[in-house]
Amino acid sequence: MTNRLAASTSPYLLQHADNPVDWWEWGEDAFAEARRREVPVLLSVGYAACHWCHVMAHESFEDPGVAEALSGFVAVKVDREERPDVDAVYMSATTALTGQGGWPMTCLLTPEGEPFWAGTYLPREDLLRLLEAAGEQWRADPERLRGGARQILSALREAQERGAATGPGARPGDGTAQALGPEDLAAAYEGLRGDQDHQWGGFGGAPKFPPSMVLAFLLRQHGRTGDPGTLDMVRDTCEAMARSGLYDQVGGGFSRYAVDRAWVVPHFEKMLYDNALLLGVYADLARLDEASRPWAERVVRESVEWLLRELWTEQQAFASSLDADTAGVEGATYVWSPEQLRQTLGEEDGRRAADLLGVTEAGTFEHGASTLQLREDPEDAAWWAGVRQRLDVARSLRTQPARDDKVVTAWNGLLVSSLAHAGWVLEEDDWVDVAARCADFLLATHVHEGRLHRSSKDGVRGTALGVAEDYGALADGLLTLHRVTGAQRWLDAAGALLDAALDLFGTDDGGIAATGHDAERLVLAPTTTGDNAEPGGLSAIAVALVRHGAQGSRSDHLRRAERALLHAAPLARQAPRFAGWALVAAEELVAGPTTVRLSPAAAGEGRDDALGRAARHTPAATLVVDGDPALSTGPEGRTAMVCRGTVCDLPTRDPRDLPSPADVGTGLG
């Protein structure tokens, strides 16, 4: 059969190009074919690093019997990372119909794109039974299935409207909404504290995901209030994750999530967005908390090494992920038995390493294998460094997980921001240079005729248009580059992106739509008010607006951020775990936002002067522009200027004039 996915940039679509199923890519052509033939659509949504997506592909989509059963359907495959809007719409149907979501997502649609059945992974026999039953019902009475699909969509639209009209501050368009103020931010902390796992860190039970955006919010609240409880929550969670099986103790980098409360067994896929967000959190923790600095800085340095070694592409950007599977076996690259340690390290070192890393005869994973944990620092750091290197070499000889080389705009924007910030914190100029090269690639390749696109592969821009989160995350990365270099071009590029984003995604009531007014219209509008594994479209743009408003003296952007956050306020009040990035924006607004502008370092001198050192210890919510050419550096050294909102103090050379924790004022919040 002819495969219609050959031109796609998505590895999820390309990896099964030789299977017997006649796949179509999402688009009008596929639905026109379904209408021409008057047959339903099978929609499979997944992504390249997804374990069960691989299982279903091998079990079913490479099977001739399934291909024959699908001859009565138009089969459409979608990479959720390339089309998050399509994924969001049909995931809302899946969770509404089944009570849970996940990938691969399997939906049956009318030729008009309306869902009448939804689920997730299906074993081959279950899929065949579904296709047979659905095919028979469609041939017997297609209008009954169409009617059911319309009822499903009507219920989903009503649920969206109810969600937009409930809770305090839920009507931002009529002037009655309430902004997120200090009391709301304090309540968010109390809500998080009630959901905290005091034994193992993090929030809730298993499965447990790294709460990176919530941790970023708590760091900012600690800086504003000085409350030690907020810092304790961040420190406990970050250390628990850093010492667990979630973190790759040999190679660096975090896995997607842990299947247990204690973070022992991860789901082994490594995603760029997780590692980008966590890099920023650990960099801030290292600079703000001396007690955490040794292990937090270790995680930062090891994670950057992993990112540059494993995800850096020839195009000078970052690939999306590494698979959970190795040759079809989940986690095979990463787990060890005591015998494997002894074979690699020798009897004595193997025994010591097993004791240190929690590798037991019974195993903590499958088939007697264990994940590696570093619950305490080894007494002999030099010995551990040598052992870690030997394990890394031995592991490199194993079959390695596949890499998804797709370059996603939003995820690279997050990494540009975190990498540039970490480079500034730890005075690693090479990291800042890498972040700048990545940003240049995104601006040169992903922007076409004034419109940002979602992704590229091998330097070829994809056809999918950028969504709101792409604009917000990339603008924020450019703003971080402006802060750490002082270069005006990054500020200008961020401002242009944000102005374009407001035109594309802004709504009449001050909200942010997920997709632009020029995007394909779907059967249901995807929402943007919440954060999931990464910042949602609204919060991504709000954070960038706050920071550009402060760095670029754009009071209109500060006001626009406030209006956007009114739409996130109900969720932030009711479920702060799912609004962490919106709470980051709110914290920075309440803090002023506060900006410290430093004059450039004198020629031939580094930035390790008294003002530079003080700036690196300002609260997390403080935006430090290190090298503002508008300020002069004289014979007596650098000068600094502290601004709140768009109002600035007189220049100073005294480090004591810079903000310190619990010393920032309340501002626009």
Side-chain angles (χ1 to χ4, degrees):
M1 294 184 177
T2 302
N3 193 292
R4 295 174 174 84
L5 300 178
S8 172
T9 62
S10 167
Y12 173 67
L13 305 182
L14 290 173
Q15 64 183 333
H16 305 301
D18 295 327
N19 68 40
V21 177
D22 187 16
W23 288 109
W24 293 69
E25 195 169 0
W26 179 273
E28 179 54 35
D29 288 347
F31 289 96
E33 175 72 4
R35 290 191 295 272
R36 184 186 68 80
R37 293 171 51 196
E38 188 56 22
V39 296
V41 172
L42 171 82
L43 172 65
S44 176
V45 182
Y47 59 103
C50 165
H51 170 71
W52 288 104
C53 299
H54 289 292
V55 172
M56 191 166 177
H58 295 314
E59 280 184 350
S60 297
F61 297 147
E62 297 177 1
D63 180 74
V66 172
E68 182 178 353
L70 278 171
S71 63
F73 297 77
V74 169
V76 175
K77 193 181 281 282
V78 170
D79 182 347
R80 67 174 296 263
E81 298 168 354
E82 200 167 38
R83 291 299 303 267
D85 52 339
V86 173
D87 176 65
V89 165
Y90 292 100
M91 186 58 71
S92 66
T94 301
T95 53
L97 291 172
T98 68
Q100 62 184 7
W103 298 275
M105 177 168 50
T106 308
C107 299
L108 297 180
L109 317 178
T110 69
E112 294 72 40
E114 300 168 330
F116 61 86
W117 189 93
T120 54
Y121 164 75
L122 291 171
R124 177 183 178 277
E125 296 306 316
D126 291 352
L127 177 62
L128 287 171
R129 281 191 289 269
L130 171 67
L131 295 175
E132 181 181 8
E136 289 178 355
Q137 291 181 37
W138 182 267
R139 289 187 292 273
D141 192 357
E143 289 309 311
R144 186 174 71 83
L145 293 180
R146 279 191 165 102
R150 287 192 289 270
Q151 290 179 357
I152 292 169
L153 281 177
S154 177
L156 290 172
R157 292 188 182 109
E158 289 177 7
Q160 277 189 349
E161 292 170 2
R162 286 196 304 271
T166 57
R171 299 185 65 190
D174 65 4
T176 64
Q178 301 172 4
L180 290 168
E183 67 284 353
D184 296 304
L185 301 176
Y189 162 61
E190 291 298 328
L192 291 168
R193 189 169 67 169
D195 203 19
Q196 181 185 10
D197 184 336
H198 294 278
Q199 180 179 7
W200 297 108
F203 304 95
K208 190 177 283 184
F209 293 81
S212 49
M213 290 167 279
V214 166
L215 298 175
F217 154 64
L218 292 170
L219 281 173
R220 281 153 180 78
Q221 186 170 100
H222 171 71
R224 180 174 59 83
T225 67
D227 184 345
T230 52
L231 183 60
D232 288 344
M233 194 181 294
V234 176
R235 183 192 297 121
D236 291 348
T237 296
C238 283
E239 185 167 15
M241 292 191 300
R243 297 192 179 281
S244 73
L246 184 78
Y247 182 70
D248 184 348
Q249 304 296 341
V250 170
F254 288 89
S255 295
R256 174 76 275 270
Y257 65 88
V259 302
D260 60 293
R261 273 185 59 204
W263 311 98
V264 174
V265 178
H267 189 53
F268 290 91
E269 63 198 49
K270 289 183 176 180
M271 309 301 298
L272 178 60
Y273 54 75
D274 284 319
N275 285 280
L277 290 164
L278 288 167
L279 180 63
V281 169
Y282 280 87
D284 269 334
L285 188 60
R287 78 182 177 96
L288 298 173
D289 182 38
E290 286 299 321
S292 304
R293 176 144 186 155
W295 52 263
E297 181 176 337
R298 171 179 65 83
V299 167
V300 170
R301 293 188 179 279
E302 291 175 358
S303 294
V304 172
E305 290 173 4
W306 170 75
L307 285 161
L308 294 175
R309 183 178 68 248
E310 299 289 345
L311 295 188
W312 185 239
T313 70
E314 292 182 6
Q315 290 72 40
Q316 302 197 338
F318 289 88
S320 293
S321 62
L322 297 182
D323 279 7
D325 296 359
T326 303
V329 180
E330 187 173 8
T333 300
Y334 304 105
V335 296
W336 297 79
S337 68
E339 178 59 25
Q340 287 173 325
L341 290 178
R342 289 192 293 269
Q343 290 176 353
T344 301
L345 303 172
E347 193 68 29
E348 178 60 22
D349 284 348
R351 181 190 59 76
R352 289 178 63 186
D355 291 343
L356 176 68
L357 298 169
V359 177
T360 66
E361 294 294 341
T364 57
F365 184 53
E366 298 172 350
H367 310 297
S370 295
T371 61
L372 302 187
Q373 305 169 71
L374 191 67
R375 293 300 182 184
E376 59 183 24
D377 290 329
E379 295 181 0
D380 189 339
W383 171 84
W384 165 237
V387 164
R388 181 172 178 264
Q389 183 178 34
R390 289 156 67 192
L391 292 176
D392 193 30
V393 170
R395 201 175 75 175
S396 70
L397 301 177
R398 298 176 176 179
T399 303
Q400 299 298 302
R403 185 174 83 168
D404 179 354
D405 284 338
K406 182 172 72 270
V407 173
V408 175
T409 300
W411 306 354
N412 274 260
L414 294 172
L415 196 279
V416 166
S417 180
S418 292
L419 186 58
H421 180 63
W424 176 73
V425 168
L426 298 181
E427 300 181 72
E428 294 285 356
D429 291 341
D430 287 348
W431 299 358
V432 177
D433 178 63
V434 169
R437 283 186 277 161
C438 180
D440 278 330
F441 169 79
L442 295 172
L443 292 172
T445 304
H446 286 213
V447 178
H448 178 63
E449 296 181 349
R451 185 61 160 94
L452 186 63
H453 285 240
R454 172 69 175 173
S455 65
S456 66
K457 186 173 184 292
D458 299 329
V460 178
R461 181 179 55 253
T463 58
L465 297 176
V467 295
E469 67 191 57
D470 293 306
Y471 279 79
L474 179 54
D476 190 43
L478 301 176
L479 289 166
T480 305
L481 283 170
H482 170 251
R483 290 198 298 275
V484 304
T485 67
Q488 183 70 25
R489 73 182 183 102
W490 301 122
L491 183 66
D492 293 343
L497 270 178
L498 288 171
D499 287 337
L502 293 177
D503 288 340
L504 278 169
F505 306 102
T507 60
D508 292 340
D509 60 0
I512 301 293
T515 55
H517 60 70
D518 59 346
E520 174 189 1
R521 297 298 97 182
L522 302 174
V523 295
L524 188 71
T527 59
T528 64
T529 53
D531 299 316
N532 197 343
E534 57 185 297
L538 185 146
S539 60
I541 287 180
V543 164
L545 285 170
V546 170
R547 293 171 180 175
H548 188 262
Q551 292 170 231
S553 299
R554 288 282 298 270
S555 57
D556 60 325
H557 277 182
L558 292 175
R559 291 191 298 270
R560 191 62 181 80
E562 286 187 291
R563 290 187 67 201
L565 287 174
L566 294 176
H567 292 261
L571 182 64
R573 292 184 174 107
Q574 295 164 5
R577 279 178 60 187
F578 304 99
W581 212 237
L583 290 167
V584 165
E587 272 290 348
E588 293 185 5
L589 276 173
V590 166
T594 303
T595 310
V596 171
R597 300 175 181 272
L598 298 175
S599 64
E605 295 183 7
R607 295 176 174 178
D608 192 27
D609 58 297
L611 279 176
R613 289 193 299 274
R616 279 191 289 275
H617 288 84
T618 54
T622 300
L623 306 171
V624 179
V625 180
D626 196 344
D628 190 333
L631 292 175
S632 61
T633 299
E636 297 180 9
R638 294 211 280 174
T639 58
M641 187 165 60
V642 179
C643 306
R644 291 174 179 84
T646 57
V647 178
C648 298
D649 298 338
L650 292 173
T652 181
R653 287 192 172 89
D654 190 344
R656 293 172 295 182
D657 292 335
L658 272 56
S660 58
D663 188 37
V664 290
T666 56
L668 293 173

